[in-house]
Amino acid sequence: TFPPHGPRGPRPGRRRSAAASVGHRFNMWPLLRLGFVMAAGARFATLQTPPRVMMCSRHAPDSRTLNQRIVKLTDPLDVLRLYDEYGHAYDEINLSTTWSRLGRSHGRSRGLILSQDGKCLHDLRQRSMQGAGRWKARHLASTAHALAKLHLRSEGWKGLWRVLAAASFRKLSNFNPQDLSNTVWAFATAG
């Protein structure tokens, strides 16, 4: 086997790296390559979760970073995994964005999260009920809109709908036309 520079050494005008120089002089390329492959294999073998949701659980990222992560996720199961890991650090924006991402989901994963009347959404529902009274109009509107799109209107979800209705009524003067339209549609759809 040849070093990465080819059989005759580096191309004119290029210098060898230290590893290439050692490998070329002592014909250690197979060993260097083996070491690199072993190191890379060990690094990837230690990943327990997919890299797109793997973060250090000791220190939660700031709200903006969390929101950027939530927005990038398309699979509702990944959205819920991120919530399971950092839900304790979510603010109103992160909670609203999580609901919005779930509302845009479709396919098999959506069916999984909605099975058993959204049982896996119980903690998210409780957190939203606790804080919705302090949310801004935009977050109330997008959460109500997402809930309506998810068709979450059974008896277990009526508490969250009531909290959203009361909070929306108190902040009605702060709604812009789009927020008002989304909220009216959501409540009309929910019944």
Side-chain angles (χ1 to χ4, degrees), residues 30-64:
L31 295 175
L32 287 174
R33 240 184 321 182
L34 178 65
F36 174 75
V37 170
M38 287 174 56
R43 180 174 161 230
F44 293 118
T46 60
L47 293 178
Q48 298 297 320
T49 59
R52 60 185 167 182
V53 295
M54 190 179 87
M55 297 173 77
C56 177
S57 60
R58 289 185 194 161
H59 305 288
D62 63 294
S63 175
R64 185 179 185 142

Side-chain angles (χ1 to χ4, degrees), residues 76-179:
L77 297 176
D78 290 337
V79 173
L80 290 177
R81 280 187 203 112
L82 190 66
Y83 176 76
D84 283 342
E85 190 168 355
Y86 295 113
H88 63 278
Y90 276 28
D91 63 3
E92 68 183 65
I93 298 169
N94 303 136
L95 288 169
S96 175
T97 305
T98 298
W99 282 117
S100 181
R101 293 308 298 166
L102 293 172
R104 293 178 187 192
S105 65
H106 50 81
R108 185 175 177 200
S109 296
R110 180 181 175 136
L112 288 173
I113 65 167
L114 295 177
S115 64
Q116 299 174 355
D117 195 33
K119 186 176 180 180
C120 64
L121 301 173
H122 177 74
D123 187 47
L124 183 61
R125 177 178 60 193
Q126 294 303 322
R127 284 283 313 277
S128 299
M129 284 176 63
Q130 292 168 358
R134 298 181 303 272
W135 290 5
K136 294 181 180 174
R138 178 180 181 180
H139 306 126
L140 292 167
S142 63
T143 301
H145 190 262
L147 288 171
K149 285 176 71 175
L150 288 168
H151 306 287
L152 295 171
R153 21 179 198 245
S154 66
E155 196 63 39
W157 291 92
K158 286 187 179 178
L160 180 55
W161 280 107
R162 286 185 193 112
V163 169
L164 289 173
S168 297
F169 186 74
R170 281 194 310 272
K171 300 190 185 225
L172 199 56
S173 63
N174 297 334
F175 278 71
N176 66 29
Q178 184 66 54
D179 295 339

